[in-house]
Amino acid sequence: MSQTDSEFMLRAIALAQAGVDSNAGGPFGCVIVKNGGVVGEGVNRVTSTNDPTAHAEIVAIRDACRNLDSFQLDGCVVYTSCEPCPMCLGAIYWARPDRIIIACDRNDAAKAGFDDAFIYDELCGSDLSQRKVPISTILRDEGLKVFQNWIAKPDKIEY
Amino acid sequence: MSQTDSEFMLRAIALAQAGVDSNAGGPFGCVIVKNGGVVGEGVNRVTSTNDPTAHAEIVAIRDACRNLDSFQLDGCVVYTSCEPCPMCLGAIYWARPDRIIIACDRNDAAKAGFDDAFIYDELCGSDLSQRKVPISTILRDEGLKVFQNWIAKPDKIEY
């Protein structure tokens, strides 16, 4: 890790502390960097905006994509004060940055009262019927028609 | 499944098709229902808004939370035209609805060109060093201080 990596991570950690101090939400901050410069930042804003998706990484990804005018973050590095939860890690995979640098991990988050490790366990369990939020299937044939129309659509924008 | 379940799912599927037709984004729609009434809706808007997090479920969760003035969706049912990707399933776990009803699944999505199954594999692999988007750790002790401050904070709002 370079001096620069430490500086960006200290910024992410400072954002996390500022979010706690201002009652924005949970103790999490994130900085996204491209070509040595910050292109997006986020703090957790779940409780202050009534948005359960407003985790620091999601806020930072949306900020960076807005600033870069792109739905992809190729060439970017995500510095986050804690290992991304499954929601945020999924978002990172869709945004496709080059790498992720974390300070704390999911077990540290669990000790501070956040369900990340539980959600990883739920998502990765092979038996969907055992999940705490059950999933049932209806109308698959009707749903598949939309996918068929998508596949056949000549002017679709893939992501 | 009830007649009502079918009606809400047909609405989610119709939203998915409308999103394809209007070039909002990928072929996905979602409806969130509480006490028999729709409280939130979403279509995928990734490419039209340059927001990689704007999947149908995330858009619908944000819409429902705005309408309900809450960051929790207790008592709600999520009807989605396709099995949620890890990002969306993570968001659902944070929002805590009662259950999820799907039409298509992750394998159907993969055949239509969407990486859901790949992302599930990446998130659930036990060896983090083998991931396509590598995760490295720095400054854990500095990060932990923010968690300690959070734990000690008397007026924190937990979620």
Side-chain angles (χ1 to χ4, degrees):
Chain A
M1 292 294 156
S2 68
Q3 172 72 18
T4 316
D5 285 332
S6 295
E7 285 167 11
F8 289 129
M9 181 58 83
L10 287 173
R11 172 72 185 153
I13 292 170
L15 284 169
Q17 184 61 54
V20 173
D21 295 340
S22 69
N23 289 315
F28 304 97
C30 180
V31 172
I32 298 178
V33 171
K34 184 168 188 171
N35 299 327
V38 173
V39 294
E41 288 188 341
V43 298
N44 183 295
R45 299 190 180 282
V46 168
T47 51
S48 60
T49 64
N50 278 333
D51 181 354
T53 76
H55 285 200
E57 298 94 326
I58 301 276
V59 174
I61 288 168
R62 301 180 82 213
D63 186 41
C65 286
R66 209 160 30 229
N67 291 332
L68 296 171
D69 203 24
S70 168
F71 54 81
Q72 295 286 265
L73 293 178
D74 45 281
C76 291
V77 182
V78 176
Y79 296 82
T80 177
S81 64
C82 186
E83 182 183 357
C85 79
M87 173 180 72
C88 293
L89 190 56
I92 287 168
Y93 270 86
W94 288 113
R96 303 184 178 91
D98 287 2
R99 62 197 184 99
I100 304 162
I101 302 180
I102 66 175
C104 302
D105 68 16
R106 68 183 79 173
N107 300 308
D108 299 323
K111 286 176 197 152
F114 297 94
D115 273 347
D116 302 39
F118 162 74
I119 299 178
Y120 271 104
D121 289 345
E122 283 280 298
L123 264 68
C124 298
S126 55
D127 187 350
L128 271 60
S129 70
Q130 295 303 306
R131 284 206 186 136
K132 295 291 187 295
V133 184
I135 294 189
S136 331
T137 300
I138 56 173
L139 297 174
R140 178 163 173 258
D141 288 346
E142 285 76 0
L144 283 174
K145 283 180 198 146
V146 184
F147 282 166
Q148 288 152 8
N149 293 339
W150 170 261
I151 291 166
K153 183 178 169 69
D155 64 338
K156 64 176 171 283
I157 303 172
E158 297 182 270
Y159 62 85
Chain B
M1 293 293 156
S2 68
Q3 172 72 18
T4 315
D5 284 332
S6 295
E7 285 166 12
F8 290 129
M9 181 58 84
L10 287 173
R11 171 72 185 152
I13 293 171
L15 284 169
Q17 185 61 54
V20 172
D21 294 342
S22 68
N23 289 315
F28 305 96
C30 180
V31 172
I32 298 178
V33 171
K34 185 168 188 171
N35 299 327
V38 174
V39 293
E41 288 189 342
V43 298
N44 183 294
R45 299 190 181 281
V46 168
T47 52
S48 60
T49 63
N50 279 333
D51 182 355
T53 75
H55 285 201
E57 297 94 326
I58 300 276
V59 174
I61 288 169
R62 300 180 83 213
D63 186 40
C65 286
R66 213 161 25 229
N67 292 331
L68 296 172
D69 203 24
S70 169
F71 53 82
Q72 295 288 265
L73 294 178
D74 44 281
C76 291
V77 182
V78 176
Y79 297 82
T80 177
S81 64
C82 185
E83 182 183 356
C85 79
M87 173 179 72
C88 294
L89 190 55
I92 287 168
Y93 270 85
W94 288 114
R96 303 184 179 92
D98 287 1
R99 61 196 184 102
I100 304 162
I101 301 180
I102 66 175
C104 303
D105 68 17
R106 68 183 80 175
N107 299 307
D108 299 323
K111 286 177 197 151
F114 297 94
D115 274 346
D116 303 39
F118 162 74
I119 299 178
Y120 270 104
D121 290 344
E122 284 279 299
L123 263 68
C124 298
S126 55
D127 186 350
L128 271 59
S129 69
Q130 296 302 306
R131 284 208 186 134
K132 295 292 187 296
V133 183
I135 294 189
S136 331
T137 301
I138 56 173
L139 297 173
R140 177 164 173 258
D141 288 345
E142 285 77 1
L144 282 176
K145 283 180 197 148
V146 184
F147 282 165
Q148 289 153 6
N149 293 339
W150 170 261
I151 291 167
K153 184 179 167 73
D155 63 338
K156 63 177 171 281
I157 302 172
E158 296 183 271
Y159 62 85

